[in-house]
Amino acid sequence: MGAVDVGTSKICTLIGRKHGTTIEILGIGLSGSSGIRKGRIIDIGKVARALRDSFFAALEVAQVLPNVVYAGIAGDGVTSCNLEGEVFLGKGGREITEKDTENAIESTKTKVDLKSQRILHLLPQEFIVDEQKGIADPVGMVATQLRVRTHLVAAQENYLHNFVKSFQQAGIDVARVVFQPLASALAVLSPTEKEIGVALVDIGGGTTDVAVFYGGSMRFSKVIPVGGEHITHDLAVGLRTSLDEAERVKVNYGCAFSRHIPEDEVIEVRDHGGNALQTVRRGYACEIIEARIREIFKLLAQELRASGWGRFLRGGVVLTGGTALLDGIVEFASSFLKVPVRLGYPESTGYTGMVQTVANPMFSTACGLLQLAVLEATSKKRLSLFDSFQRTRLWFVERLKDYFMIE
Ligand SMILES: Nc1ncnc2c1ncn2[C@@H]1O[C@H](COP(=O)(O)OP(=O)(O)OP(=O)(O)O)[C@@H](O)[C@H]1O
Ligand SMILES: [Mg+2]
């Protein structure tokens, strides 16, 4: 199995296979992402080259060609919305069949104008059997009407075309295109969190992806076009240095809580040319970082409020993605959002092989993609219904995940 996370700062390929109750990571390949801006492909040739580099680096380590490759997409060309649909079962009522649930889910698509968009996922949230809400599996129940709420994720046609074309140019056959936050969620959220309400916030290089789960399913998703690269850029301007030096300062000395830094602590920063060293207050560098982090969380809070799901986060917020490694970010987020916040990374217990490397928030999406590929392959029949090119039964993924973990 193969998984390719197409991020704005890196392209990550994982090759792995099911190994007992875990996934064995056989190979990892990383390449610097280029040709992508705010998650959007602006140069197919460059992306194809980066894809090839990443893929072949993983292949070299794994020495196994993956039979199936899942690819993760995000960026501002992907949008989502909640829909409702229904099927009528006759006046006298009758038993609900599997086919009825599929028809109800399918009917939600007709409620939205999908002009120039391709559906990536149509995820059922809950069924409503006559007036009874919150039903996960209504098959076998008797009713006159079956309603369903779904979460639809769609990509602009040209956006998806460029994405798939890049893979084709790289010679990689993609079996499935998956919305990145859905994959990250699979890798880092617990079933309990998804049940009681949680927001997964993946702060990567160019974007911050948000996905809210409640009652076991995805309720809201959004891509905010700001991420760690913006912090680096701000630092480069503020400290009058290169992007590479700003990145080094951010990773080694960065902190989201500038007031935690002693007044007199100083760091040395190279100038643009990389020669002269200037002395800078570390607190000043962290003030620049904090300002951008504050903006990201402000936008996040606005999105959560506007979606109406901000009040349903008993499980709090889970931060993942490379920028979640920034010192002090968990404390900053919990004090700003006033909810419990934790760092989410692929659980090392779920993997064997190159575990140390993947147990990092930067690999959440890639790990989730691989997990999904393995899950769907090991139970092909039912899970092939995962995306809406066929049908959708996300909760099967969840159930099977539990099932395989205790196998
Ligand atoms: N220790 C660290 N402290 C702060 N930032 C870090 C650290 N390590 C990595 N980063 C930042 O994480 C970002 C990359 O994260 P990630 O690999 O999750 O992004 P991506 O998946 O390529 O991008 P996106 O998801 O936005 O498309 C970079 O901006 C990098 O500077
Ligand atoms: Mg990412």
Side-chain angles (χ1 to χ4, degrees):
M1 301 286 138
V4 185
D5 171 26
V6 185
T8 44
S9 27
K10 53 114 187 32
I11 291 179
C12 172
T13 303
L14 292 183
I15 296 176
R17 64 178 164 217
K18 187 172 185 291
H19 184 257
T21 58
T22 66
I23 292 174
E24 185 183 6
I25 309 283
L26 302 168
I28 301 175
L30 283 175
S31 68
S33 185
S34 64
I36 299 178
R37 194 172 298 148
K38 290 184 183 170
R40 187 176 280 268
I41 291 174
I42 52 167
D43 186 330
I44 292 177
K46 272 191 182 163
V47 176
R49 274 192 296 281
L51 279 171
R52 212 175 295 135
D53 289 349
S54 163
F55 194 78
F56 282 98
L59 214 53
E60 217 171 348
V61 184
Q63 293 290 314
V64 183
L65 191 68
N67 52 351
V68 168
V69 174
Y70 277 34
I73 195 170
D76 61 2
V78 184
T79 51
S80 60
C81 63
N82 287 334
L83 299 168
E84 256 192 63
E86 68 281 299
V87 287
F88 294 98
L89 306 163
K91 263 202 178 127
R94 64 169 171 80
E95 222 175 79
I96 297 165
T97 63
E98 189 84 37
K99 187 81 190 141
D100 294 324
T101 61
E102 289 158 22
N103 289 342
I105 292 167
E106 282 291 305
S107 77
T108 63
K109 284 200 288 196
T110 60
K111 308 286 165 80
V112 65
D113 181 9
L114 284 168
K115 214 171 8 148
S116 342
Q117 305 235 34
R118 277 289 290 272
I119 299 176
L120 292 178
H121 309 288
L122 186 59
L123 311 168
Q125 297 173 332
E126 62 172 325
F127 287 96
I128 302 157
V129 178
D130 287 336
E131 291 312 311
Q132 204 181 335
K133 292 182 182 170
I135 310 248
D137 191 353
V139 175
M141 293 180 170
V142 173
T144 55
Q145 189 199 35
L146 175 68
R147 283 193 288 150
V148 66
R149 294 200 168 113
T150 60
H151 186 72
L152 177 137
V153 183
Q156 286 163 13
E157 245 161 34
N158 56 353
Y159 188 87
L160 189 62
H161 169 89
N162 295 348
F163 186 83
V164 174
K165 185 91 189 169
S166 307
F167 275 89
Q168 280 171 351
Q169 268 197 20
I172 305 167
D173 191 18
V174 175
R176 180 150 302 179
V177 177
V178 178
F179 188 38
Q180 288 175 10
L182 205 58
S184 310
L186 196 60
V188 307
L189 297 180
S190 73
T192 310
E193 283 172 328
K194 279 187 259 190
E195 194 60 41
I196 64 174
V198 69
L200 176 78
V201 181
D202 182 331
I203 316 180
T207 62
T208 295
D209 305 337
V210 190
V212 173
F213 288 79
Y214 181 80
S217 47
M218 197 190 251
R219 305 288 166 154
F220 170 74
S221 55
K222 185 86 192 177
V223 176
I224 300 171
V226 191
E229 284 168 8
H230 298 81
I231 302 175
T232 306
H233 187 265
D234 293 348
L235 270 180
V237 174
L239 304 181
R240 294 197 185 86
T241 187
S242 66
L243 286 173
D244 284 348
E245 180 69 346
E247 178 75 14
R248 185 188 70 83
V249 170
K250 178 180 82 171
V251 170
N252 293 317
Y253 306 105
C255 180
F257 257 128
S258 58
R259 71 184 121 102
H260 284 183
I261 310 297
E263 260 304 300
D264 55 355
E265 191 173 338
V266 291
I267 52 175
E268 290 193 318
V269 181
R270 292 199 180 276
D271 69 359
H272 269 293
N275 301 316
L277 279 173
Q278 40 171 342
T279 304
V280 179
R281 258 197 330 109
R282 185 180 165 208
Y284 173 64
C286 295
E287 278 164 27
I288 296 173
I289 293 171
E290 186 177 331
R292 190 57 97 160
I293 288 290
R294 186 178 299 280
E295 187 211 0
I296 292 175
F297 283 107
K298 215 165 151 183
L299 291 170
L300 169 68
Q302 275 168 11
E303 290 294 348
L304 290 175
R305 204 173 311 120
S307 74
W309 288 102
R311 293 180 290 117
F312 295 88
L313 304 179
R314 277 203 295 140
V317 165
V318 177
L319 297 181
T320 195
T323 303
L325 289 169
L326 183 70
D327 203 21
I329 196 167
V330 171
E331 296 79 358
F332 181 95
S334 54
S335 93
F336 188 90
L337 300 169
K338 307 213 166 20
V339 293
V341 177
R342 75 168 177 93
L343 190 60
Y345 51 90
E347 284 292 339
S348 52
T349 50
Y351 304 91
T352 49
M354 305 170 76
V355 187
Q356 292 310 319
T357 320
V358 296
N360 180 318
M362 278 169 74
F363 298 125
S364 298
T365 308
C367 284
L369 288 169
L370 192 61
Q371 214 169 317
L372 197 56
V374 169
L375 281 167
E376 294 199 334
T378 41
S379 52
K380 194 93 199 153
K381 225 174 174 178
R382 294 205 286 184
L383 288 168
S384 64
L385 315 176
F386 178 73
D387 76 25
S388 68
F389 292 122
Q390 294 113 51
R391 302 178 306 178
T392 314
R393 295 293 294 265
L394 180 64
W395 64 88
F396 277 153
V397 178
E398 298 308 322
R399 285 187 192 162
L400 283 160
K401 183 182 163 202
D402 293 339
Y403 173 73
F404 282 120
M405 290 307 167
I406 54 165
E407 192 184 50

mmCIF file of all heavy atoms in Angstrom, residues 5-10 180 202-207 228-229 232 247 250-251 321-323 325-326 362, ligand 1:
data_model
loop_
_atom_site.group_PDB
_atom_site.id
_atom_site.type_symbol
_atom_site.label_atom_id
_atom_site.label_comp_id
_atom_site.label_asym_id
_atom_site.label_seq_id
_atom_site.Cartn_x
_atom_site.Cartn_y
_atom_site.Cartn_z
ATOM 1 N N ASP A 5 1.054 12.201 0.651
ATOM 2 C CA ASP A 5 0.481 13.441 1.167
ATOM 3 C C ASP A 5 1.119 14.600 0.403
ATOM 4 O O ASP A 5 2.320 14.821 0.491
ATOM 5 C CB ASP A 5 0.771 13.547 2.675
ATOM 6 C CG ASP A 5 0.390 14.915 3.227
ATOM 7 O OD1 ASP A 5 -0.493 15.569 2.645
ATOM 8 O OD2 ASP A 5 0.973 15.318 4.258
ATOM 9 N N VAL A 6 0.300 15.302 -0.355
ATOM 10 C CA VAL A 6 0.820 16.428 -1.141
ATOM 11 C C VAL A 6 0.626 17.705 -0.318
ATOM 12 O O VAL A 6 -0.422 18.340 -0.339
ATOM 13 C CB VAL A 6 0.096 16.525 -2.500
ATOM 14 C CG1 VAL A 6 0.713 17.621 -3.353
ATOM 15 C CG2 VAL A 6 0.144 15.195 -3.233
ATOM 16 N N GLY A 7 1.649 18.036 0.445
ATOM 17 C CA GLY A 7 1.576 19.235 1.288
ATOM 18 C C GLY A 7 2.156 20.435 0.572
ATOM 19 O O GLY A 7 2.732 20.300 -0.509
ATOM 20 N N THR A 8 2.025 21.617 1.176
ATOM 21 C CA THR A 8 2.603 22.804 0.546
ATOM 22 C C THR A 8 4.090 22.908 0.840
ATOM 23 O O THR A 8 4.822 23.573 0.113
ATOM 24 C CB THR A 8 1.916 24.097 1.038
ATOM 25 O OG1 THR A 8 1.759 24.016 2.431
ATOM 26 C CG2 THR A 8 0.597 24.305 0.382
ATOM 27 N N SER A 9 4.561 22.263 1.941
ATOM 28 C CA SER A 9 5.997 22.342 2.183
ATOM 29 C C SER A 9 6.732 21.046 1.902
ATOM 30 O O SER A 9 7.933 21.074 1.636
ATOM 31 C CB SER A 9 6.316 22.820 3.594
ATOM 32 O OG SER A 9 5.335 22.522 4.488
ATOM 33 N N LYS A 10 6.044 19.927 1.974
ATOM 34 C CA LYS A 10 6.723 18.663 1.660
ATOM 35 C C LYS A 10 5.733 17.684 1.026
ATOM 36 O O LYS A 10 4.535 17.762 1.255
ATOM 37 C CB LYS A 10 7.304 18.028 2.937
ATOM 38 C CG LYS A 10 6.304 17.859 4.075
ATOM 39 C CD LYS A 10 6.017 16.435 4.410
ATOM 40 C CE LYS A 10 4.928 16.144 5.390
ATOM 41 N NZ LYS A 10 3.786 16.927 5.532
ATOM 42 N N GLN A 180 -7.404 15.659 2.825
ATOM 43 C CA GLN A 180 -6.352 15.477 3.842
ATOM 44 C C GLN A 180 -6.848 15.456 5.296
ATOM 45 O O GLN A 180 -6.421 14.603 6.074
ATOM 46 C CB GLN A 180 -5.270 16.542 3.670
ATOM 47 C CG GLN A 180 -4.412 16.316 2.438
ATOM 48 C CD GLN A 180 -3.415 17.438 2.196
ATOM 49 O OE1 GLN A 180 -3.228 18.310 3.029
ATOM 50 N NE2 GLN A 180 -2.780 17.420 1.052
ATOM 51 N N ASP A 202 -5.047 20.971 11.600
ATOM 52 C CA ASP A 202 -3.764 20.579 11.014
ATOM 53 C C ASP A 202 -3.085 21.837 10.481
ATOM 54 O O ASP A 202 -3.474 22.368 9.434
ATOM 55 C CB ASP A 202 -4.025 19.555 9.893
ATOM 56 C CG ASP A 202 -2.739 19.041 9.245
ATOM 57 O OD1 ASP A 202 -1.736 19.780 9.217
ATOM 58 O OD2 ASP A 202 -2.742 17.902 8.752
ATOM 59 N N ILE A 203 -2.095 22.325 11.246
ATOM 60 C CA ILE A 203 -1.390 23.542 10.820
ATOM 61 C C ILE A 203 -0.127 23.109 10.088
ATOM 62 O O ILE A 203 0.848 22.668 10.696
ATOM 63 C CB ILE A 203 -1.045 24.466 12.015
ATOM 64 C CG1 ILE A 203 -2.251 24.574 12.975
ATOM 65 C CG2 ILE A 203 -0.643 25.848 11.504
ATOM 66 C CD1 ILE A 203 -1.990 25.467 14.177
ATOM 67 N N GLY A 204 -0.187 23.181 8.771
ATOM 68 C CA GLY A 204 0.943 22.744 7.960
ATOM 69 C C GLY A 204 1.802 23.922 7.567
ATOM 70 O O GLY A 204 1.983 24.872 8.332
ATOM 71 N N GLY A 205 2.334 23.879 6.341
ATOM 72 C CA GLY A 205 3.180 24.959 5.852
ATOM 73 C C GLY A 205 2.348 26.112 5.294
ATOM 74 O O GLY A 205 2.469 27.247 5.724
ATOM 75 N N GLY A 206 1.475 25.780 4.331
ATOM 76 C CA GLY A 206 0.728 26.843 3.654
ATOM 77 C C GLY A 206 -0.707 26.990 4.108
ATOM 78 O O GLY A 206 -1.332 28.018 3.848
ATOM 79 N N THR A 207 -1.244 25.962 4.742
ATOM 80 C CA THR A 207 -2.663 26.017 5.127
ATOM 81 C C THR A 207 -2.889 25.449 6.525
ATOM 82 O O THR A 207 -2.067 24.704 7.055
ATOM 83 C CB THR A 207 -3.537 25.190 4.151
ATOM 84 O OG1 THR A 207 -3.120 23.828 4.209
ATOM 85 C CG2 THR A 207 -3.446 25.696 2.729
ATOM 86 N N GLY A 228 2.489 27.632 8.631
ATOM 87 C CA GLY A 228 3.831 27.877 9.167
ATOM 88 C C GLY A 228 4.736 28.691 8.256
ATOM 89 O O GLY A 228 5.627 29.408 8.731
ATOM 90 N N GLU A 229 4.531 28.585 6.941
ATOM 91 C CA GLU A 229 5.384 29.352 6.020
ATOM 92 C C GLU A 229 5.170 30.852 6.190
ATOM 93 O O GLU A 229 6.086 31.647 5.943
ATOM 94 C CB GLU A 229 5.088 28.954 4.566
ATOM 95 C CG GLU A 229 5.695 27.616 4.213
ATOM 96 C CD GLU A 229 5.192 27.044 2.901
ATOM 97 O OE1 GLU A 229 4.466 27.756 2.173
ATOM 98 O OE2 GLU A 229 5.514 25.876 2.632
ATOM 99 N N THR A 232 7.363 31.935 8.979
ATOM 100 C CA THR A 232 8.749 32.053 8.511
ATOM 101 C C THR A 232 8.939 33.351 7.716
ATOM 102 O O THR A 232 9.938 34.065 7.892
ATOM 103 C CB THR A 232 9.110 30.834 7.622
ATOM 104 O OG1 THR A 232 8.829 29.654 8.368
ATOM 105 C CG2 THR A 232 10.558 30.840 7.214
ATOM 106 N N GLU A 247 13.617 30.234 9.026
ATOM 107 C CA GLU A 247 13.094 28.892 9.335
ATOM 108 C C GLU A 247 13.906 28.269 10.481
ATOM 109 O O GLU A 247 13.354 27.680 11.403
ATOM 110 C CB GLU A 247 13.166 28.029 8.065
ATOM 111 C CG GLU A 247 12.704 26.592 8.223
ATOM 112 C CD GLU A 247 11.196 26.407 8.313
ATOM 113 O OE1 GLU A 247 10.451 27.351 8.001
ATOM 114 O OE2 GLU A 247 10.779 25.319 8.735
ATOM 115 N N LYS A 250 12.952 29.940 13.686
ATOM 116 C CA LYS A 250 11.615 29.508 14.118
ATOM 117 C C LYS A 250 11.664 28.127 14.775
ATOM 118 O O LYS A 250 11.130 27.924 15.867
ATOM 119 C CB LYS A 250 10.671 29.478 12.912
ATOM 120 C CG LYS A 250 9.272 28.997 13.254
ATOM 121 C CD LYS A 250 8.362 28.983 12.032
ATOM 122 C CE LYS A 250 8.552 27.735 11.187
ATOM 123 N NZ LYS A 250 7.534 27.611 10.131
ATOM 124 N N VAL A 251 12.308 27.187 14.092
ATOM 125 C CA VAL A 251 12.327 25.807 14.587
ATOM 126 C C VAL A 251 13.162 25.686 15.877
ATOM 127 O O VAL A 251 12.775 24.999 16.816
ATOM 128 C CB VAL A 251 12.855 24.856 13.484
ATOM 129 C CG1 VAL A 251 13.128 23.468 14.028
ATOM 130 C CG2 VAL A 251 11.863 24.793 12.325
ATOM 131 N N GLY A 321 0.045 18.509 12.302
ATOM 132 C CA GLY A 321 0.776 19.224 11.241
ATOM 133 C C GLY A 321 2.080 19.759 11.826
ATOM 134 O O GLY A 321 2.225 19.899 13.047
ATOM 135 N N GLY A 322 3.038 20.056 10.956
ATOM 136 C CA GLY A 322 4.375 20.470 11.393
ATOM 137 C C GLY A 322 4.391 21.651 12.344
ATOM 138 O O GLY A 322 5.191 21.689 13.294
ATOM 139 N N THR A 323 3.516 22.635 12.117
ATOM 140 C CA THR A 323 3.543 23.831 12.962
ATOM 141 C C THR A 323 3.064 23.535 14.391
ATOM 142 O O THR A 323 3.345 24.311 15.314
ATOM 143 C CB THR A 323 2.730 24.966 12.293
ATOM 144 O OG1 THR A 323 3.288 25.181 10.993
ATOM 145 C CG2 THR A 323 2.756 26.258 13.068
ATOM 146 N N LEU A 325 4.380 21.582 16.165
ATOM 147 C CA LEU A 325 5.618 21.335 16.918
ATOM 148 C C LEU A 325 6.197 22.610 17.529
ATOM 149 O O LEU A 325 7.141 22.564 18.316
ATOM 150 C CB LEU A 325 6.681 20.704 16.007
ATOM 151 C CG LEU A 325 6.433 19.251 15.590
ATOM 152 C CD1 LEU A 325 7.404 18.861 14.488
ATOM 153 C CD2 LEU A 325 6.587 18.323 16.792
ATOM 154 N N LEU A 326 5.611 23.748 17.167
ATOM 155 C CA LEU A 326 6.107 25.017 17.704
ATOM 156 C C LEU A 326 5.948 25.025 19.223
ATOM 157 O O LEU A 326 4.871 24.721 19.748
ATOM 158 C CB LEU A 326 5.310 26.179 17.089
ATOM 159 C CG LEU A 326 5.750 27.573 17.501
ATOM 160 C CD1 LEU A 326 7.105 27.922 16.895
ATOM 161 C CD2 LEU A 326 4.712 28.605 17.076
ATOM 162 N N MET A 362 3.884 15.928 11.608
ATOM 163 C CA MET A 362 4.030 16.209 10.180
ATOM 164 C C MET A 362 3.532 15.059 9.317
ATOM 165 O O MET A 362 3.221 15.223 8.138
ATOM 166 C CB MET A 362 5.505 16.450 9.836
ATOM 167 C CG MET A 362 5.969 17.845 10.133
ATOM 168 S SD MET A 362 7.746 17.967 10.019
ATOM 169 C CE MET A 362 7.985 17.916 8.272
HETATM 170 N N1 LIG B 1 9.778 22.364 15.395
HETATM 171 C C1 LIG B 1 9.019 23.158 14.634
HETATM 172 N N2 LIG B 1 8.588 24.358 15.105
HETATM 173 C C2 LIG B 1 7.844 25.156 14.354
HETATM 174 N N3 LIG B 1 7.445 24.887 13.107
HETATM 175 C C3 LIG B 1 7.840 23.721 12.586
HETATM 176 C C4 LIG B 1 8.640 22.797 13.300
HETATM 177 N N4 LIG B 1 8.880 21.726 12.513
HETATM 178 C C5 LIG B 1 8.236 21.977 11.344
HETATM 179 N N5 LIG B 1 7.625 23.163 11.378
HETATM 180 C C6 LIG B 1 6.858 23.820 10.314
HETATM 181 O O1 LIG B 1 5.847 22.949 9.849
HETATM 182 C C7 LIG B 1 5.511 23.309 8.506
HETATM 183 C C8 LIG B 1 5.370 22.072 7.684
HETATM 184 O O2 LIG B 1 4.362 21.289 8.225
HETATM 185 P P1 LIG B 1 3.709 20.096 7.400
HETATM 186 O O3 LIG B 1 4.773 19.174 6.972
HETATM 187 O O4 LIG B 1 2.625 19.552 8.235
HETATM 188 O O5 LIG B 1 3.157 20.922 6.156
HETATM 189 P P2 LIG B 1 2.565 20.418 4.776
HETATM 190 O O6 LIG B 1 1.736 19.216 5.016
HETATM 191 O O7 LIG B 1 3.655 20.296 3.775
HETATM 192 O O8 LIG B 1 1.690 21.675 4.371
HETATM 193 P P3 LIG B 1 0.109 21.865 4.258
HETATM 194 O O9 LIG B 1 -0.537 20.839 5.127
HETATM 195 O O10 LIG B 1 -0.126 23.251 4.718
HETATM 196 O O11 LIG B 1 -0.206 21.709 2.812
HETATM 197 C C9 LIG B 1 6.615 24.207 8.001
HETATM 198 O O12 LIG B 1 6.145 25.538 7.889
HETATM 199 C C10 LIG B 1 7.687 24.096 9.091
HETATM 200 O O13 LIG B 1 8.389 25.294 9.238
#
